[in-house]
Amino acid sequence: MRTLLALIFTVLACTASAAPTHKDLQAQDADWLRQYMLRFGFSKSFTEESVTNYEPKSFGRVVSLNLLGFLTPSGAHLTELDPKAVRKAASFIKENSEAFKTAQQQFGVPAEVVSSLLWIETRHGEDTGSFHIVSVYLHLIQSRNPENLKILTQMALLKNKSVKKYTRPELVALMKKRVESKSKWAEEQLIALAEVRKKKHLNLTELRGSYAGAFGLPQFIPSSYRDFSASLKPDATPNLSNPADAIMSVANYLKQSGWQAKNLEAQITALMKYNNSRDYANGILNISDKVSTSQ
């Protein structure tokens, strides 16, 4: 009997101290979301559309991927030249020659760079993501709820045991800062979505993309779509699922981010505004250089 009781207490103790996972993170209900959005100042129509189409099932996964990714080593593989990437980037240029020619004439960004970027982002559209974009940003706003912050911090502390990058006080303070910053950024992106919706440029009920809230071939976030998207056809609504519009939009983004011909540092700076990673910028330029010499 004593042995049985000891076993029961051991099981209960293990259960109580089980490591938290993304499944422990909890989304708020529809009423909370509705009140939050209206209080923030979103229109009733945008609020109802967002709440009605909200997908809580992806909550824990989206929040943990966005908030804890900094504890996962970055992709050094981006600097390793992949022969397949070179072939695909060159082929994509041939398949979309008109759009690349127009983009290079209008924005001054080489076709090889744009094609290489689109390959790294989504394999030229093969992998654009399946997360509901509006839901992603509604998820991130809720990450700052006290219980979610507590669980995220516990998860971060566990991950840090293997990377050993931060002290406990440093990581606790950093998680609080990251969660607050990410939730405010999510609010900014929801504002951009509301502005885009008002112009009837996107169907937000069906818009899907990555867990980070980016969509289309170039993986633009909503504010990037609002500010930099461009269409091959004058006065047409940019469609980032369309290769031609994706090409024009990326070239416009890089141009406005400071891209300069024959200025390597300006090129790296522009690419890092797209994705704040030196590996990312170097990876694109490495593929681009090989594409140029292969043609």
Side-chain angles (χ1 to χ4, degrees):
M1 183 67 177
R2 289 180 180 177
T3 303
L4 178 60
L5 287 173
L7 178 61
I8 291 172
F9 283 126
T10 300
V11 171
L12 289 174
C14 290
T15 302
S17 60
T21 70
H22 71 267
K23 295 180 180 178
D24 296 309
L25 297 164
Q26 295 296 317
Q28 299 289 335
D29 60 21
D31 286 339
W32 186 95
L33 286 173
R34 186 176 289 106
Q35 290 173 20
Y36 157 77
M37 293 189 71
L38 291 174
R39 202 164 50 239
F40 192 83
F42 290 112
S43 69
K44 288 184 178 179
S45 60
F46 179 55
T47 295
E48 286 307 315
E49 181 179 292
S50 300
V51 172
T52 301
N53 292 282
Y54 180 62
E55 298 180 3
K57 186 177 180 180
S58 61
F59 179 78
R61 197 166 159 223
V62 165
V63 170
S64 58
L65 284 169
N66 275 280
L67 272 301
L68 301 176
F70 74 104
L71 289 170
T72 302
S74 62
H77 64 279
L78 288 174
T79 59
E80 298 171 3
L81 196 60
D82 179 1
K84 180 180 179 181
V86 176
R87 293 194 306 272
K88 290 288 188 178
S91 177
F92 191 68
I93 292 172
K94 291 178 181 177
E95 293 167 4
N96 299 278
S97 57
E98 180 188 355
F100 278 112
K101 182 179 179 181
T102 303
Q104 189 158 350
Q105 289 174 341
Q106 190 168 334
F107 303 113
V109 181
E112 295 83 0
V113 171
V114 175
S115 185
S116 298
L117 183 151
L118 289 170
W119 170 259
I120 284 182
E121 286 294 337
T122 61
R123 298 299 187 263
H124 296 142
E126 291 180 9
D127 183 16
T128 57
S130 59
F131 291 90
H132 183 234
I133 294 298
V134 175
S135 294
V136 166
Y137 292 112
L138 289 175
H139 292 338
L140 292 176
I141 284 166
Q142 299 173 68
S143 64
R144 65 185 172 204
N145 290 349
E147 189 58 32
N148 287 329
L149 173 58
K150 178 181 176 182
I151 293 169
L152 284 165
T153 302
Q154 291 172 343
M155 293 170 70
L157 290 168
L158 285 172
K159 286 175 73 71
N160 190 54
K161 286 183 178 180
S162 58
V163 298
K164 298 178 181 178
K165 191 174 181 180
Y166 303 94
T167 66
R168 182 184 180 89
E170 286 174 343
L171 191 53
V172 169
L174 180 59
M175 284 304 299
K176 183 177 181 180
K177 183 178 179 181
R178 280 181 60 82
V179 166
E180 185 64 25
S181 175
K182 203 72 172 179
S183 60
K184 287 183 178 179
W185 174 77
E187 289 173 342
E188 294 170 1
Q189 297 309 311
L190 275 177
I191 291 170
L193 281 174
E195 291 173 354
V196 169
R197 175 184 178 273
K198 192 173 183 180
K199 294 179 180 179
K200 299 181 179 179
H201 280 185
L202 293 173
N203 183 348
L204 301 187
T205 63
E206 298 179 0
L207 187 62
R208 294 188 177 273
S210 73
Y211 69 84
F215 55 93
L217 273 73
Q219 292 292 277
F220 272 15
I221 57 175
S223 59
S224 294
Y225 178 88
R226 178 193 62 197
D227 299 338
F228 304 110
S229 62
S231 176
L232 181 62
K233 298 178 181 179
D235 301 322
T237 298
N239 176 4
L240 297 186
S241 295
N242 181 321
D245 289 0
I247 291 163
M248 294 291 289
S249 298
V250 169
N252 184 34
Y253 185 106
L254 294 178
K255 174 64 176 178
Q256 293 199 47
S257 297
W259 180 278
Q260 295 178 30
K262 300 180 181 180
N263 185 332
L264 180 59
E265 283 306 310
Q267 294 169 8
I268 289 174
T269 298
L271 288 167
M272 287 182 67
K273 286 183 180 178
Y274 203 102
N275 183 322
N276 189 27
S277 163
R278 188 88 183 197
D279 282 345
Y280 176 86
N282 287 336
I284 289 171
L285 293 176
N286 285 344
I287 296 171
S288 173
D289 288 344
K290 287 294 183 182
V291 173
S292 297
T293 57
S294 69
Q295 293 179 330

